[in-house]
Amino acid sequence: MKTNRLFYITIGMLLIFCSCSKENDFLDQKPDQSLVLPSSLSDYETLLNSTTVFNRFVDPAMGSASADEYYLPEGTFNSFSTSSYRNLYTWQKDIYVGESTMDGEWNKPYLQVYYCNIILEGIQTLAIPASEKETFNRIKGSALFFRAWAFYNLVQTFAAPYNKESATTDPGIPIKLSSDINARPPRSTVAETYKQIITDLEIALELLPVINRFKTQPSVIATLGFLSRIHLAMRNYEEAMNYSNKFLVKFSMLSDFNQFASNRTLSLHTTFLDEDVFHTTISTSSPSSRSNARIDPVFYKSYNEKDLRRTLFFRSSGGEILYKGSYDQYGYPYSGIATDEIMLNRAECYARDGKLELAFKDLNSLLIKRWAVGTFVPLSAATRDQALRLILSERKKELLFRGTRWNDLRRLNQEDEFKTTLSRTISGQTYTLPPNDPRYIFLIPLSEVQQTNISQNLR
Protein backbone atom coordinates (compact mmCIF):
# COMPACT_ATOMS: atom_id res chain seq x y z
CA MET A 1 0.00 0.00 0.00
CA LYS A 2 1.30 3.43 -0.88
CA THR A 3 2.19 5.33 2.28
CA ASN A 4 0.68 8.75 2.79
CA ARG A 5 3.09 11.65 2.19
CA LEU A 6 2.38 13.13 5.63
CA PHE A 7 3.37 9.83 7.19
CA TYR A 8 6.74 9.94 5.44
CA ILE A 9 7.23 13.55 6.54
CA THR A 10 6.37 12.68 10.12
CA ILE A 11 8.60 9.64 10.36
CA GLY A 12 11.40 11.36 8.51
CA MET A 13 11.31 14.30 10.89
CA LEU A 14 11.20 12.03 13.88
CA LEU A 15 14.30 10.21 12.72
CA ILE A 16 16.10 13.46 11.90
CA PHE A 17 15.12 15.61 14.82
CA CYS A 18 14.49 13.24 17.72
CA SER A 19 17.58 12.25 19.66
CA CYS A 20 15.68 9.93 21.99
CA SER A 21 15.73 6.38 20.63
CA LYS A 22 12.69 5.49 22.72
CA GLU A 23 10.62 7.97 20.71
CA ASN A 24 11.80 6.40 17.46
CA ASP A 25 10.71 3.01 18.77
CA PHE A 26 7.22 4.38 19.42
CA LEU A 27 6.79 5.78 15.94
CA ASP A 28 8.26 3.19 13.64
CA GLN A 29 7.73 3.38 9.87
CA LYS A 30 5.79 0.44 8.43
CA PRO A 31 4.52 -0.08 4.87
CA ASP A 32 0.96 -0.73 6.06
CA GLN A 33 0.92 2.61 7.93
CA SER A 34 0.57 0.98 11.34
CA LEU A 35 2.38 2.59 14.26
CA VAL A 36 3.96 1.20 17.42
CA LEU A 37 2.44 3.52 20.01
CA PRO A 38 3.45 4.41 23.57
CA SER A 39 1.55 2.58 26.29
CA SER A 40 2.09 4.44 29.60
CA LEU A 41 2.06 7.96 30.98
CA SER A 42 5.84 7.79 31.16
CA ASP A 43 5.99 6.97 27.46
CA TYR A 44 3.79 9.92 26.55
CA GLU A 45 5.83 12.20 28.78
CA THR A 46 8.94 11.12 26.88
CA LEU A 47 7.33 12.36 23.68
CA LEU A 48 6.47 15.70 25.30
CA ASN A 49 10.04 16.12 26.50
CA SER A 50 11.46 16.09 22.98
CA THR A 51 13.00 19.56 22.78
CA THR A 52 13.98 18.86 19.16
CA VAL A 53 10.28 18.62 18.27
CA PHE A 54 8.81 21.30 20.52
CA ASN A 55 11.52 23.83 21.38
CA ARG A 56 14.68 23.88 19.28
CA PHE A 57 14.67 25.68 15.91
CA VAL A 58 11.00 24.89 15.26
CA ASP A 59 9.07 28.17 15.17
CA PRO A 60 8.59 29.57 11.64
CA ALA A 61 11.22 32.06 10.47
CA MET A 62 9.60 33.54 7.36
CA GLY A 63 7.98 36.37 9.31
CA SER A 64 11.24 37.35 10.99
CA ALA A 65 13.03 37.19 7.64
CA SER A 66 10.46 39.56 6.13
CA ALA A 67 10.30 42.08 8.99
CA ASP A 68 12.10 45.41 9.27
CA GLU A 69 14.56 44.49 12.01
CA TYR A 70 17.62 44.03 9.79
CA TYR A 71 19.13 44.38 6.35
CA LEU A 72 21.42 42.19 4.21
CA PRO A 73 24.65 43.33 2.60
CA GLU A 74 24.60 42.75 -1.14
CA GLY A 75 27.39 40.20 -0.90
CA THR A 76 25.41 38.14 1.61
CA PHE A 77 22.23 38.44 -0.44
CA ASN A 78 23.97 37.26 -3.61
CA SER A 79 25.75 34.41 -1.83
CA PHE A 80 22.60 32.48 -0.94
CA SER A 81 22.60 29.11 -2.66
CA THR A 82 18.81 29.07 -2.69
CA SER A 83 16.69 31.62 -4.51
CA SER A 84 13.95 31.16 -1.89
CA TYR A 85 15.94 33.24 0.60
CA ARG A 86 16.43 36.07 -1.89
CA ASN A 87 12.74 35.96 -2.82
CA LEU A 88 11.74 36.02 0.83
CA TYR A 89 13.96 39.00 1.62
CA THR A 90 12.60 41.04 -1.31
CA TRP A 91 8.94 40.07 -0.71
CA GLN A 92 8.47 38.29 -4.04
CA LYS A 93 5.03 36.86 -4.77
CA ASP A 94 6.50 33.43 -5.50
CA ILE A 95 8.99 32.63 -2.76
CA TYR A 96 9.54 28.97 -3.58
CA VAL A 97 10.02 28.98 -7.39
CA GLY A 98 9.74 25.21 -7.28
CA GLU A 99 12.15 24.78 -4.33
CA SER A 100 11.28 22.96 -1.11
CA THR A 101 13.84 24.82 1.01
CA MET A 102 11.28 26.26 3.41
CA ASP A 103 8.77 23.42 3.67
CA GLY A 104 9.77 23.03 7.31
CA GLU A 105 7.92 26.25 8.10
CA TRP A 106 4.72 24.24 7.58
CA ASN A 107 5.89 20.72 8.40
CA LYS A 108 7.57 21.34 11.77
CA PRO A 109 4.47 22.86 13.43
CA TYR A 110 2.30 20.09 12.02
CA LEU A 111 4.75 17.54 13.41
CA GLN A 112 4.13 19.13 16.80
CA VAL A 113 0.38 18.83 16.20
CA TYR A 114 0.81 15.17 15.25
CA TYR A 115 2.73 14.43 18.45
CA CYS A 116 0.13 16.24 20.54
CA ASN A 117 -2.76 14.37 18.97
CA ILE A 118 -1.06 11.02 19.58
CA ILE A 119 -0.59 12.00 23.21
CA LEU A 120 -4.11 13.36 23.72
CA GLU A 121 -5.70 10.29 22.17
CA GLY A 122 -3.38 7.82 23.86
CA ILE A 123 -3.68 9.00 27.44
CA GLN A 124 -7.46 8.71 27.22
CA THR A 125 -7.09 4.95 26.76
CA LEU A 126 -5.08 4.47 29.95
CA ALA A 127 -6.42 3.48 33.35
CA ILE A 128 -5.10 6.27 35.55
CA PRO A 129 -4.82 5.63 39.31
CA ALA A 130 -5.50 8.51 41.66
CA SER A 131 -1.78 8.77 42.43
CA GLU A 132 -1.05 9.64 38.78
CA LYS A 133 -3.91 12.06 38.18
CA GLU A 134 -1.65 15.12 38.56
CA THR A 135 0.80 13.68 36.03
CA PHE A 136 -2.07 12.89 33.65
CA ASN A 137 -3.36 16.46 33.92
CA ARG A 138 0.07 17.95 33.30
CA ILE A 139 0.64 15.78 30.22
CA LYS A 140 -2.78 16.58 28.79
CA GLY A 141 -2.40 20.30 29.50
CA SER A 142 1.07 20.35 27.95
CA ALA A 143 -0.12 18.61 24.78
CA LEU A 144 -2.97 21.14 24.44
CA PHE A 145 -0.53 24.02 24.96
CA PHE A 146 1.94 22.74 22.38
CA ARG A 147 -0.84 22.11 19.86
CA ALA A 148 -2.12 25.66 20.36
CA TRP A 149 1.44 26.98 19.98
CA ALA A 150 1.80 25.20 16.64
CA PHE A 151 -1.60 26.36 15.36
CA TYR A 152 -0.81 29.95 16.35
CA ASN A 153 2.52 29.95 14.52
CA LEU A 154 0.85 28.47 11.45
CA VAL A 155 -2.05 30.94 11.35
CA GLN A 156 0.32 33.87 11.84
CA THR A 157 2.43 32.65 8.93
CA PHE A 158 -0.01 31.20 6.41
CA ALA A 159 -3.25 33.13 6.99
CA ALA A 160 -4.45 36.72 7.06
CA PRO A 161 -3.98 38.75 10.25
CA TYR A 162 -7.00 38.58 12.52
CA ASN A 163 -9.67 41.12 11.58
CA LYS A 164 -13.01 40.79 13.31
CA GLU A 165 -14.79 42.03 10.19
CA SER A 166 -13.44 39.28 7.93
CA ALA A 167 -12.15 36.55 10.26
CA THR A 168 -15.21 34.37 9.72
CA THR A 169 -14.52 34.18 5.98
CA ASP A 170 -10.72 34.56 5.70
CA PRO A 171 -9.07 31.16 5.05
CA GLY A 172 -7.22 29.85 8.07
CA ILE A 173 -5.29 26.61 8.36
CA PRO A 174 -6.32 22.93 8.49
CA ILE A 175 -7.19 22.18 12.12
CA LYS A 176 -5.92 18.64 12.66
CA LEU A 177 -7.40 17.20 15.85
CA SER A 178 -6.69 13.55 15.06
CA SER A 179 -3.49 11.54 14.67
CA ASP A 180 -5.04 9.75 11.68
CA ILE A 181 -2.48 10.38 8.96
CA ASN A 182 -5.11 9.84 6.28
CA ALA A 183 -7.36 12.61 7.61
CA ARG A 184 -7.09 15.72 5.46
CA PRO A 185 -9.27 18.45 6.93
CA PRO A 186 -9.88 21.49 4.73
CA ARG A 187 -8.71 24.94 5.71
CA SER A 188 -10.78 26.38 8.53
CA THR A 189 -11.48 30.09 8.77
CA VAL A 190 -9.19 32.42 10.68
CA ALA A 191 -11.91 32.80 13.33
CA GLU A 192 -12.25 29.03 13.73
CA THR A 193 -8.49 28.65 14.03
CA TYR A 194 -8.20 31.23 16.82
CA LYS A 195 -11.21 29.72 18.57
CA GLN A 196 -9.52 26.32 18.62
CA ILE A 197 -6.26 27.82 19.89
CA ILE A 198 -7.99 29.65 22.72
CA THR A 199 -10.13 26.63 23.62
CA ASP A 200 -7.05 24.43 23.93
CA LEU A 201 -5.33 26.97 26.16
CA GLU A 202 -8.34 27.59 28.40
CA ILE A 203 -8.49 23.85 29.11
CA ALA A 204 -4.72 23.74 29.64
CA LEU A 205 -5.01 26.46 32.30
CA GLU A 206 -7.02 24.09 34.46
CA LEU A 207 -4.51 21.25 34.12
CA LEU A 208 -0.98 22.66 34.18
CA PRO A 209 1.19 23.47 37.20
CA VAL A 210 1.49 27.17 38.01
CA ILE A 211 5.25 27.04 37.43
CA ASN A 212 7.20 24.32 35.64
CA ARG A 213 10.74 23.62 36.80
CA PHE A 214 11.67 23.00 33.16
CA LYS A 215 11.48 26.19 31.09
CA THR A 216 11.02 24.12 27.92
CA GLN A 217 7.70 22.83 29.25
CA PRO A 218 4.37 24.70 29.63
CA SER A 219 2.87 26.07 32.82
CA VAL A 220 -0.09 28.20 33.90
CA ILE A 221 2.12 31.29 33.81
CA ALA A 222 3.36 30.50 30.29
CA THR A 223 -0.21 29.90 29.15
CA LEU A 224 -1.38 33.23 30.55
CA GLY A 225 1.46 34.95 28.73
CA PHE A 226 0.64 33.12 25.52
CA LEU A 227 -3.01 34.16 25.76
CA SER A 228 -1.87 37.76 26.24
CA ARG A 229 0.17 37.46 23.03
CA ILE A 230 -2.72 35.90 21.13
CA HIS A 231 -5.30 38.51 22.13
CA LEU A 232 -2.86 41.29 21.28
CA ALA A 233 -2.50 39.76 17.79
CA MET A 234 -6.30 39.73 17.55
CA ARG A 235 -6.37 43.40 18.60
CA ASN A 236 -8.58 42.32 21.45
CA TYR A 237 -6.85 44.70 23.82
CA GLU A 238 -9.18 44.28 26.78
CA GLU A 239 -8.51 40.54 26.93
CA ALA A 240 -4.79 41.06 26.26
CA MET A 241 -4.73 43.32 29.32
CA ASN A 242 -6.72 40.80 31.32
CA TYR A 243 -4.28 37.96 30.67
CA SER A 244 -1.27 40.24 31.14
CA ASN A 245 -2.63 41.18 34.57
CA LYS A 246 -3.11 37.53 35.50
CA PHE A 247 0.41 36.71 34.37
CA LEU A 248 2.07 39.59 36.21
CA VAL A 249 0.16 38.93 39.45
CA LYS A 250 1.71 35.45 39.50
CA PHE A 251 5.09 36.26 37.97
CA SER A 252 6.79 39.63 37.53
CA MET A 253 10.48 38.78 37.66
CA LEU A 254 12.72 40.81 35.33
CA SER A 255 16.37 40.20 34.57
CA ASP A 256 18.66 43.07 35.56
CA PHE A 257 20.86 43.78 32.56
CA ASN A 258 23.45 45.34 34.89
CA GLN A 259 24.34 41.79 35.90
CA PHE A 260 25.24 40.67 32.37
CA ALA A 261 28.70 40.81 30.83
CA SER A 262 28.95 42.94 27.69
CA ASN A 263 31.77 40.86 26.17
CA ARG A 264 29.57 37.91 25.22
CA THR A 265 29.26 37.45 21.45
CA LEU A 266 26.20 35.20 20.99
CA SER A 267 23.74 35.63 23.86
CA LEU A 268 22.92 37.59 27.00
CA HIS A 269 23.81 34.83 29.43
CA THR A 270 25.11 31.28 29.79
CA THR A 271 21.87 29.89 31.23
CA PHE A 272 18.12 30.51 31.03
CA LEU A 273 17.18 34.04 32.03
CA ASP A 274 15.13 34.53 35.19
CA GLU A 275 12.31 36.24 33.28
CA ASP A 276 12.09 33.45 30.67
CA VAL A 277 9.02 31.33 31.48
CA PHE A 278 8.72 29.26 28.30
CA HIS A 279 11.69 28.65 26.04
CA THR A 280 11.56 28.05 22.29
CA THR A 281 13.69 29.17 19.35
CA ILE A 282 13.04 30.05 15.73
CA SER A 283 14.30 28.03 12.78
CA THR A 284 17.84 29.12 11.95
CA SER A 285 17.45 28.50 8.21
CA SER A 286 16.66 32.08 7.31
CA PRO A 287 18.12 35.25 5.80
CA SER A 288 17.62 36.84 9.23
CA SER A 289 19.93 34.41 11.05
CA ARG A 290 22.53 36.08 13.26
CA SER A 291 25.35 35.37 10.80
CA ASN A 292 23.51 37.11 7.95
CA ALA A 293 21.53 39.97 9.48
CA ARG A 294 22.95 43.48 9.85
CA ILE A 295 21.47 46.25 11.99
CA ASP A 296 20.62 49.66 10.57
CA PRO A 297 22.97 52.21 12.22
CA VAL A 298 20.06 54.63 12.66
CA PHE A 299 18.15 52.03 14.66
CA TYR A 300 21.26 51.18 16.67
CA LYS A 301 21.71 54.84 17.60
CA SER A 302 18.13 54.99 18.88
CA TYR A 303 19.44 53.22 22.00
CA ASN A 304 20.79 55.77 24.50
CA GLU A 305 24.46 55.36 25.41
CA LYS A 306 23.37 54.57 28.99
CA ASP A 307 20.96 51.91 27.70
CA LEU A 308 22.75 48.60 28.36
CA ARG A 309 20.96 47.00 25.43
CA ARG A 310 23.25 49.03 23.17
CA THR A 311 26.23 46.90 24.24
CA LEU A 312 24.42 43.71 25.25
CA PHE A 313 22.32 43.38 22.08
CA PHE A 314 24.89 44.42 19.48
CA ARG A 315 28.50 44.03 18.42
CA SER A 316 30.54 45.60 15.65
CA SER A 317 32.32 43.57 12.98
CA GLY A 318 34.01 44.95 9.89
CA GLY A 319 32.26 48.28 10.29
CA GLU A 320 28.83 46.62 10.46
CA ILE A 321 26.53 46.05 13.44
CA LEU A 322 25.38 42.53 14.29
CA TYR A 323 22.85 41.30 16.85
CA LYS A 324 24.04 39.18 19.78
CA GLY A 325 21.35 39.69 22.45
CA SER A 326 19.40 36.43 22.36
CA TYR A 327 17.62 35.07 25.43
CA ASP A 328 18.77 31.63 24.26
CA GLN A 329 22.07 30.72 25.91
CA TYR A 330 23.41 29.29 22.65
CA GLY A 331 22.59 32.43 20.72
CA TYR A 332 19.73 31.09 18.62
CA PRO A 333 16.70 33.35 17.99
CA TYR A 334 14.49 33.14 21.08
CA SER A 335 10.73 33.12 20.53
CA GLY A 336 9.34 32.03 23.88
CA ILE A 337 7.37 33.83 26.59
CA ALA A 338 9.13 36.21 28.99
CA THR A 339 8.11 38.90 31.44
CA ASP A 340 9.34 41.83 29.35
CA GLU A 341 6.95 41.04 26.49
CA ILE A 342 3.98 40.76 28.84
CA MET A 343 4.81 44.06 30.54
CA LEU A 344 4.98 45.72 27.13
CA ASN A 345 1.66 44.11 26.19
CA ARG A 346 0.01 45.55 29.27
CA ALA A 347 1.65 48.95 28.86
CA GLU A 348 0.28 49.19 25.33
CA CYS A 349 -3.19 48.13 26.45
CA TYR A 350 -3.15 50.67 29.30
CA ALA A 351 -2.12 53.41 26.87
CA ARG A 352 -4.88 52.47 24.44
CA ASP A 353 -7.34 52.70 27.33
CA GLY A 354 -6.07 56.15 28.28
CA LYS A 355 -4.47 54.92 31.53
CA LEU A 356 -1.16 56.64 30.89
CA GLU A 357 0.11 56.56 34.47
CA LEU A 358 -0.26 52.79 34.62
CA ALA A 359 1.20 52.40 31.12
CA PHE A 360 4.37 54.26 32.06
CA LYS A 361 4.62 52.47 35.39
CA ASP A 362 5.02 49.23 33.42
CA LEU A 363 7.31 50.71 30.77
CA ASN A 364 9.58 52.44 33.30
CA SER A 365 9.71 49.36 35.53
CA LEU A 366 11.06 47.45 32.54
CA LEU A 367 13.51 50.07 31.28
CA ILE A 368 15.12 50.74 34.66
CA LYS A 369 16.34 47.13 34.48
CA ARG A 370 17.83 47.80 31.04
CA TRP A 371 19.79 50.98 31.77
CA ALA A 372 22.99 51.42 33.79
CA VAL A 373 22.25 51.83 37.49
CA GLY A 374 21.32 55.39 38.44
CA THR A 375 21.11 56.72 34.87
CA PHE A 376 17.53 56.08 33.81
CA VAL A 377 15.12 59.00 33.77
CA PRO A 378 11.48 57.82 33.77
CA LEU A 379 9.59 58.38 30.55
CA SER A 380 6.22 60.09 30.23
CA ALA A 381 3.89 61.51 27.62
CA ALA A 382 1.12 64.10 27.61
CA THR A 383 -1.29 62.34 25.26
CA ARG A 384 -2.50 58.86 24.49
CA ASP A 385 -1.05 59.02 20.98
CA GLN A 386 2.39 60.09 22.20
CA ALA A 387 2.36 57.38 24.86
CA LEU A 388 1.36 54.67 22.41
CA ARG A 389 4.04 55.64 19.92
CA LEU A 390 6.70 55.66 22.61
CA ILE A 391 5.64 52.27 23.95
CA LEU A 392 5.57 50.73 20.48
CA SER A 393 9.02 52.15 19.77
CA GLU A 394 10.38 50.59 22.95
CA ARG A 395 8.59 47.36 22.09
CA LYS A 396 10.52 47.09 18.83
CA LYS A 397 13.80 47.84 20.62
CA GLU A 398 13.20 45.35 23.44
CA LEU A 399 11.76 42.43 21.46
CA LEU A 400 14.29 42.51 18.64
CA PHE A 401 14.58 39.18 16.76
CA ARG A 402 12.02 37.55 19.05
CA GLY A 403 9.54 36.65 16.29
CA THR A 404 7.05 39.31 17.39
CA ARG A 405 7.81 42.14 14.97
CA TRP A 406 6.15 40.61 11.89
CA ASN A 407 3.00 39.88 13.88
CA ASP A 408 3.04 43.45 15.22
CA LEU A 409 3.27 44.84 11.69
CA ARG A 410 0.33 42.67 10.62
CA ARG A 411 -1.92 43.94 13.40
CA LEU A 412 -0.77 47.56 13.47
CA ASN A 413 -1.15 47.97 9.70
CA GLN A 414 -4.89 47.71 10.32
CA GLU A 415 -4.75 51.03 12.20
CA ASP A 416 -4.27 54.14 10.06
CA GLU A 417 -1.93 55.90 12.49
CA PHE A 418 0.51 52.97 12.59
CA LYS A 419 0.58 51.76 8.99
CA THR A 420 4.13 51.09 7.80
CA THR A 421 5.56 50.63 4.31
CA LEU A 422 8.67 48.45 4.37
CA SER A 423 11.51 49.10 1.93
CA ARG A 424 14.75 47.35 0.95
CA THR A 425 17.33 48.18 -1.71
CA ILE A 426 19.58 45.63 -3.38
CA SER A 427 21.91 46.41 -6.30
CA GLY A 428 20.22 49.74 -6.85
CA GLN A 429 16.74 48.25 -7.02
CA THR A 430 14.23 49.15 -4.31
CA TYR A 431 11.59 46.68 -3.14
CA THR A 432 8.59 47.72 -1.04
CA LEU A 433 5.89 46.04 1.00
CA PRO A 434 2.84 48.29 1.54
CA PRO A 435 0.54 47.91 4.56
CA ASN A 436 -1.98 45.06 4.33
CA ASP A 437 -0.40 43.72 1.15
CA PRO A 438 -1.33 40.09 0.29
CA ARG A 439 2.38 39.28 0.70
CA TYR A 440 1.88 39.52 4.45
CA ILE A 441 0.48 35.99 4.01
CA PHE A 442 2.99 33.36 2.90
CA LEU A 443 2.34 30.69 0.30
CA ILE A 444 1.62 27.22 1.62
CA PRO A 445 4.38 24.82 0.42
CA LEU A 446 3.57 23.65 -3.09
CA SER A 447 3.94 19.97 -2.21
CA GLU A 448 1.28 20.31 0.50
CA VAL A 449 -1.18 21.96 -1.88
CA GLN A 450 -0.59 19.26 -4.50
CA GLN A 451 -1.02 16.40 -2.05
CA THR A 452 -4.04 17.68 -0.14
CA ASN A 453 -5.77 19.95 -2.68
CA ILE A 454 -6.22 22.68 -0.09
CA SER A 455 -6.61 26.20 -1.44
CA GLN A 456 -3.44 28.23 -1.95
CA ASN A 457 -2.99 31.76 -0.69
CA LEU A 458 -2.99 34.59 -3.21
CA ARG A 459 -0.03 36.98 -3.09
Side-chain angles (χ1 to χ4, degrees), residues 67-259:
D68 59 348
E69 297 175 299
Y70 75 108
Y71 73 93
L72 293 177
E74 289 190 15
T76 302
F77 177 85
N78 292 325
S79 70
F80 290 139
S81 59
T82 169
S83 59
S84 295
Y85 288 176
R86 291 188 290 273
N87 294 335
L88 183 62
Y89 181 71
T90 54
W91 307 300
Q92 299 299 311
K93 289 186 176 182
D94 184 0
I95 294 172
Y96 306 123
V97 290
E99 296 178 348
S100 58
T101 310
M102 307 201 75
D103 284 8
E105 302 280 296
W106 177 274
N107 293 334
K108 287 181 183 179
Y110 272 117
L111 176 62
Q112 296 173 332
V113 172
Y114 179 72
Y115 258 62
C116 293
N117 287 335
I118 284 179
I119 293 165
L120 291 168
E121 293 167 1
I123 61 175
Q124 295 300 329
T125 68
L126 303 178
I128 307 298
S131 60
E132 292 189 328
K133 185 63 175 178
E134 183 177 336
T135 301
F136 173 91
N137 287 344
R138 176 169 49 79
I139 291 172
K140 181 178 180 181
S142 297
L144 289 167
F145 177 98
F146 280 126
R147 187 170 72 180
W149 188 271
F151 284 152
Y152 175 78
N153 283 328
L154 286 162
V155 77
Q156 283 291 322
T157 306
F158 298 104
Y162 190 93
N163 183 312
K164 64 180 182 180
E165 303 298 328
S166 61
T168 57
T169 56
D170 287 336
I173 60 169
I175 300 177
K176 299 183 179 182
L177 303 181
S178 165
S179 65
D180 182 357
I181 57 178
N182 293 308
R184 295 180 176 179
R187 295 181 68 171
S188 64
T189 66
V190 166
E192 290 167 340
T193 304
Y194 276 91
K195 181 179 179 180
Q196 182 64 53
I197 292 167
I198 292 170
T199 296
D200 279 355
L201 292 175
E202 287 176 343
I203 297 172
L205 277 176
E206 304 300 320
L207 301 170
L208 290 168
V210 174
I211 298 176
N212 200 314
R213 64 192 181 101
F214 299 109
K215 290 182 182 287
T216 53
Q217 289 291 305
S219 64
V220 165
I221 292 172
T223 305
L224 292 171
F226 188 21
L227 282 163
S228 169
R229 177 186 289 184
I230 291 165
H231 283 288
L232 198 75
M234 298 173 71
R235 299 169 59 231
N236 186 353
Y237 296 115
E238 183 176 352
E239 281 301 289
M241 184 190 297
N242 176 38
Y243 282 110
S244 297
N245 284 333
K246 291 180 178 180
F247 176 103
L248 292 166
V249 164
K250 294 179 181 294
F251 189 89
S252 58
M253 186 175 296
L254 282 169
S255 300
D256 186 348
F257 281 18
N258 287 277
Q259 298 176 357

Side-chain angles (χ1 to χ4, degrees), residues 309-382:
R309 295 174 298 184
R310 187 174 172 124
T311 53
L312 291 173
F313 279 10
F314 307 107
R315 64 184 178 90
S316 178
S317 177
E320 296 176 324
I321 304 165
L322 286 75
Y323 175 73
K324 63 166 187 169
S326 178
Y327 274 33
D328 180 73
Q329 59 266 47
Y330 302 108
Y332 297 111
Y334 171 84
S335 51
I337 302 290
T339 308
D340 61 340
E341 177 188 351
I342 308 308
M343 290 189 76
L344 287 164
N345 289 358
R346 189 169 73 173
E348 179 182 339
C349 293
Y350 277 145
R352 288 179 177 278
D353 198 32
K355 299 174 180 176
L356 303 192
E357 184 176 347
L358 291 174
F360 280 102
K361 181 179 180 181
D362 276 345
L363 183 62
N364 291 327
S365 295
L366 168 65
L367 292 180
I368 199 170
K369 297 289 188 178
R370 301 319 191 223
W371 284 50
V373 172
T375 65
F376 178 67
V377 177
L379 302 179
S380 62

